[in-house]
Amino acid sequence: MKHRYPTGPEGETVGVRRVRLWRLRRNALRHRSHAMEGWIVLVLGVIGFIGAPLGGAVAWEAVLEARSQQQTERRLTDAVLVEDPAPAARGSTRARATVRWTGPDGTTHIGRVPVGSHMERGSHVSLWTDEDGAMTSAPLGPAAARFDAAVAALTITVGLGFLVLAAHRLVRRVCERRRSARWGREWARVAPEWDRKNA
């Protein structure tokens, strides 16, 4: 890649070639901070290109495994209404009522669940319970589980990418401040001699 700059009164130009990875190569103008910055940027690049997609893949697998575990731990349980449902809200066909069910260990559980307003005491309803017999929500279906896994993977991948970019900017800013401070100290030492020579 060449950048052209005018150099003379007649408008002639010269080509300037951009040297890639110059911070990692030996040259007279490179300071130790340039080398340090170059290696840090290289490491951050590897993390960004490998770590971010890998983190997304791990998140995908973790969410799918958690959803699969829900499928095995949760079960439909038969419960019995112990009271007539409360009057349903206007325009609704659902009401809440107290139900009783038995857990896997034989323990009796009681809770309130939404039921049809036409149901009566003694009616049977199905509800989801966990391995301890406590009432819980229904497990996600395969499509919903894949959607959650995709969202988690994308979030982790993008988040790690932005984290790497932020770290790169921080490293560059710190290195530039140190070089600027070093240049200022060197100039403060050299400037008096320079002024005497040009006086």
Side-chain angles (χ1 to χ4, degrees), residues 11-76:
E12 63 269 23
T13 59
V14 293
V16 178
R17 184 172 297 279
R18 185 173 184 175
V19 179
R20 298 189 183 280
L21 301 176
W22 65 271
R23 290 180 178 86
L24 303 177
R25 297 180 179 182
R26 294 186 177 276
N27 63 73
L29 299 177
R30 189 195 72 170
H31 291 286
R32 193 168 71 177
S33 64
H34 289 125
M36 182 182 70
E37 180 185 350
W39 282 110
I40 292 175
V41 168
L42 183 63
V43 170
L44 289 175
V46 171
I47 292 173
F49 283 107
I50 297 177
L54 184 62
V58 169
W60 168 276
E61 290 296 331
V63 171
L64 286 183
E65 185 176 345
R67 298 299 184 257
S68 176
Q69 191 173 358
Q70 281 186 359
Q71 293 281 353
T72 58
E73 291 178 350
R74 300 181 183 185
R75 60 180 61 86
L76 272 176

Side-chain angles (χ1 to χ4, degrees), residues 111-123:
R112 290 182 64 81
V113 298
V115 297
S117 58
H118 64 281
M119 301 182 76
E120 298 177 349
R121 179 178 181 177
S123 300

